[in-house]
């Protein structure tokens, strides 16, 4: 769920959700069996889709490396 605080327009919120789902689908095999909660911030509504997907991929790589350490 992307709240109205991120963007007042449903079109923008749905775009963010689509990008998050697509980024997850592309990186699903190496994310292993982790449960991930994504909290979108208002800046996400102004960022391009490619930049948002690249940022998510980088964050998920950090998450996987932290999970392997513990």
């Amino acid at each position: 769920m992307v709240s109205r605080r991120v963007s007042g327009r449903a079109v923008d919120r749905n775009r963010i959700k689509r990008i998050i789902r697509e980024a997850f689908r592309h990186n699903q095999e190496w994310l292993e069996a982790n449960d991930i909660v994504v909290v979108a911030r208002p800046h996400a509504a102004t960022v391009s889709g490619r930049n948002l997907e690249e940022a998510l991929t980088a964050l998920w790589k950090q998450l996987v490396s932290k999970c392997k350490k513990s």
Side-chain angles (χ1 to χ4, degrees), residues 5-63:
R5 285 186 179 185
V6 173
S7 177
R9 295 175 26 160
V11 173
D12 294 333
R13 294 192 307 270
N14 289 333
R15 180 183 70 88
I16 293 168
K17 288 187 272 188
R18 280 194 309 273
I19 292 168
I20 292 169
R21 282 193 300 264
E22 189 67 16
F24 176 79
R25 192 179 66 80
H26 284 158
N27 298 297
Q28 187 173 350
E29 65 274 355
W30 55 267
L31 284 172
E32 300 170 1
N34 296 313
D35 292 335
I36 300 171
V37 176
V38 178
V39 179
R41 302 288 173 118
H43 182 66
T46 61
V47 176
S48 72
R50 182 177 297 267
N51 288 342
L52 188 56
E53 189 170 349
E54 288 173 359
L56 284 167
T57 301
L59 289 171
W60 287 336
K61 286 180 182 179
Q62 287 178 354
L63 178 68

